[in-house]
Amino acid sequence: MFGLEALDLARIQFAFTISFHILFPAITIGLASYLAVLEGLWLKTHNDTYRDLYHFWSKIFAVNFGMGVVSGLVMAYQFGTNWSRFSDFAGAVTGPLLTYEVLTAFFLEAGFLGVMLFGWNKVGRGLHFFSTVMVAIGTLISTFWILASNSWMQTPQGFEIVNGQVIPTDWLAIIFNPSFPYRLMHMATAAFVATAFFVGSSAAWHLLRGKDNPAIRTMLSMAMWMALIVAPIQAVIGDFHGLNTLEHQPAKIAAIEGHWENKGDEATPLILFGWPDMKEEKTRFAVEIPYLGSLILTHSLDKQVPALKEFPPEDRPNSTIVFWSFRIMVGLGFLMIFTGLWSLWLRKRDSLYTSRPFLYLALWMGPSGLIAILAGWFTTEIGRQPWVVYGLMRTADASSNHSFMQMSITLIMFVVVYFALFGAGLGYMMRLVRKGPKISEGAETPDGGPGKQRTPARPLSAADDSADADHDTPSLTKEI
């Protein structure tokens, strides 16, 4: 059907499930750190605006965290069901790395998550803040181990192959493989940027609807400061990541650039736009800038970038896809930098919260970070093809022996269940965002806040039945 085989459906299924899953950890990473900052600012300044925002975003964090856990479990099972030969080949490396993620990050998050969500009036301020910080650290530790495993698949080292299986010989070399530092920083920073624009978009939506209060303004202000500072940093990290990829995966860079062949000693141009044709081995309708490809990728005006024709056809990634996924990511990155700079200019003119053109831009930029993450992930994973472990095991040799019919049925089931389950979850999360933070109007937390006012041990028995229950009561269970 459509020229697809069981292997193609297995790849589509994995791409589909990971595309859903990666959105939730990205927001979880950013929101966890955002919540830690909000609570820290509240404890330092006693400004109730930060407390109100903490309660508001903690509900959204809880829903997002739950969906991330559920979708992540599916990813783990697919290694055994659809990619059993990969698990047999490289399981001695990837298995322990994923286990370390559970033992360190997930247990840390799970251990403190309950205190963070339900312990506001039950534990002291210091312990509650510590729990929030631990959850934030847990999300970053999780990122560490997941990226270590995936980066090893991109740039494997620290092993030997015995009887057709990878045997670890140096765990430090495995974990800190050549691409790991760049990919870890790139992903973590992307999560912060994506969350910033998610928060900024929600604030812009409320301001455009006339809901203007200190909490909404603080949301927009903090989001734009993050965009202004972190988006340019992400561009610099991306440049270093590109240089590392050129060194270790030159075919991927050639595919990203749509660069087919070098001409004599001429420097490599940068192809801004075009349509790479894998069959004809050329990029149609190419719009080029001379020398710029060499300048960006080698930081010189005379060095050449490896071309696709230097690699056997069976070892070339699909340039048509990664050429455009990369440009979507970079284009959105430039828009993020522009949004941050515009916010600074408006801030100096004291019109950040009233400029409707800017607010509309901030609103529509809400999903930009998540789209950029997906585009970057497609570039990374499709650009690694045809290898599942770069240079060691081909994707075609990694899949389980399933039939086309089996893969078709499971793919259809995944699509239906995911859109129904996570569609409902995302819809509920957006309802919480549209509701906006509830303002305490200057009222202090009864008896001084966390650790002072005691509530029943059963969270549900303390929940307010009103839809507009005050944030100071532990009514989060009702929302979840």
Side-chain angles (χ1 to χ4, degrees):
M1 183 178 182
F2 302 111
L4 298 176
E5 300 178 355
L7 172 63
D8 301 313
L9 294 182
R11 292 180 61 191
I12 292 171
Q13 184 179 118
F14 197 85
F16 175 78
T17 53
I18 200 172
S19 295
F20 262 91
H21 171 66
I22 198 173
L23 302 178
F24 303 123
I27 296 298
T28 296
I29 294 166
L31 280 185
S33 296
Y34 182 49
L35 289 171
V37 170
L38 288 173
E39 187 168 6
L41 289 172
W42 177 67
L43 290 173
K44 181 179 180 179
T45 66
H46 304 289
N47 185 337
D48 289 342
T49 296
Y50 297 120
R51 181 193 61 186
D52 297 333
L53 287 176
Y54 179 93
H55 284 292
F56 171 63
W57 285 107
S58 64
K59 299 176 184 179
I60 298 167
F61 171 85
V63 177
N64 190 83
F65 183 89
M67 291 191 290
V69 170
V70 173
S71 59
L73 290 174
V74 175
M75 300 300 305
Y77 281 114
Q78 281 193 74
F79 286 115
T81 57
N82 293 354
W83 304 97
S84 57
R85 285 186 284 183
F86 162 73
S87 298
D88 182 61
F89 174 75
V93 170
T94 59
L97 291 177
L98 296 179
T99 301
Y100 298 153
E101 189 264 340
V102 174
L103 292 176
T104 57
F106 185 74
F107 284 178
L108 181 66
E109 293 171 285
F112 288 99
L113 185 65
V115 178
M116 170 185 162
L117 295 179
F118 305 114
W120 187 259
N121 292 320
K122 300 178 183 179
V123 300
R125 295 184 180 189
L127 177 56
H128 191 276
F129 178 57
F130 179 76
S131 300
T132 304
V133 172
M134 287 299 101
V135 170
I137 293 175
T139 63
L140 294 174
I141 295 176
S142 179
T143 308
F144 178 93
W145 290 116
I146 296 298
L147 266 295
S149 176
N150 187 268
S151 296
W152 180 84
M153 294 166 64
Q154 302 278 347
T155 51
Q157 65 174 23
F159 67 94
E160 62 181 8
I161 297 179
V162 179
N163 297 326
Q165 293 181 318
V166 172
I167 304 299
T169 58
D170 186 345
W171 277 105
L172 286 179
I174 289 172
I175 295 170
F176 298 99
N177 58 79
S179 66
F180 170 69
Y182 305 98
R183 301 183 75 242
L184 175 64
M185 291 298 298
H186 200 50
M187 181 62 207
T189 307
F192 291 137
V193 175
T195 304
F197 279 95
F198 178 45
V199 173
S201 177
S202 63
W205 187 84
H206 286 290
L207 288 169
L208 286 168
R209 291 174 61 88
K211 188 175 181 179
D212 189 347
N213 57 53
I216 299 298
R217 289 192 171 212
T218 300
M219 283 167 53
L220 183 63
S221 178
M222 294 179 72
M224 290 304 106
W225 278 124
M226 177 65 77
L228 177 66
I229 297 171
V230 180
I233 294 176
Q234 177 72 319
V236 175
I237 295 173
D239 179 63
F240 283 108
H241 185 18
L243 296 177
N244 177 264
T245 304
L246 177 62
E247 178 182 356
H248 297 281
Q249 295 176 303
K252 179 188 290 188
I253 291 295
I256 288 173
E257 296 302 314
H259 179 52
W260 289 95
E261 59 184 331
N262 288 307
K263 299 177 182 179
D265 295 329
E266 293 182 12
T268 304
L270 176 68
I271 301 177
L272 289 177
F273 304 105
W275 189 262
D277 190 325
M278 297 298 292
K279 292 184 178 179
E280 296 294 329
E281 297 186 340
K282 65 179 181 180
T283 299
R284 300 178 180 274
F285 319 114
V287 178
E288 301 180 350
I289 300 179
Y291 299 99
L292 192 56
S294 293
L295 181 61
I296 293 176
L297 291 167
T298 68
H299 291 182
S300 72
L301 289 174
D302 54 0
K303 293 182 180 179
Q304 294 181 329
V305 177
L308 277 170
K309 288 186 178 181
E310 298 175 16
F311 305 93
E314 63 273 16
D315 291 346
R316 299 171 187 169
N318 190 316
S319 179
T320 309
I321 297 177
V322 298
F323 180 89
W324 281 105
S325 61
F326 178 79
R327 277 152 182 77
I328 290 172
M329 178 187 68
V330 172
L332 288 173
F334 279 119
L335 272 176
M336 294 173 190
I337 295 173
F338 170 75
T339 304
L341 291 173
W342 192 5
S343 72
L344 179 63
W345 184 73
L346 292 174
R347 197 186 297 270
K348 290 183 177 181
R349 294 170 60 89
D350 199 26
S351 57
L352 177 64
Y353 312 106
T354 57
S355 172
R356 295 186 70 83
F358 172 79
L359 292 177
Y360 274 111
L361 174 63
L363 174 64
W364 288 107
M365 286 292 289
S368 63
L370 297 175
I371 296 173
I373 287 175
L374 285 177
W377 197 257
F378 290 160
T379 302
T380 295
E381 297 304 302
I382 297 175
R384 185 183 61 205
Q385 299 301 317
W387 306 98
V388 66
V389 181
Y390 197 77
L392 298 179
M393 186 181 200
R394 291 181 180 271
T395 305
D397 300 326
S399 63
S400 302
N401 189 24
H402 294 316
S403 68
F404 180 85
M405 181 60 66
Q406 289 172 321
M407 294 308 306
S408 299
I409 293 173
T410 55
L411 177 58
I412 293 172
M413 291 176 61
F414 269 114
V415 171
V416 172
V417 172
Y418 267 53
F419 274 106
L421 179 62
F422 296 115
L426 288 170
Y428 179 66
M429 194 165 66
M430 290 301 101
R431 282 173 53 195
L432 293 176
V433 171
R434 289 194 298 269
K435 186 177 180 181
K438 186 172 178 60
I439 307 303
S440 59
E441 297 180 357
E444 294 293 331
T445 303
D447 298 326
K452 300 301 181 179
Q453 173 180 295
R454 298 295 174 178
T455 55
R458 294 171 293 136
L460 285 175
S461 66
D464 194 323
D465 292 332
S466 170
D468 296 319
D470 186 84
H471 290 306
D472 293 333
T473 62
S475 60
L476 185 57
T477 50
K478 172 175 67 60
E479 298 291 347
I480 296 177

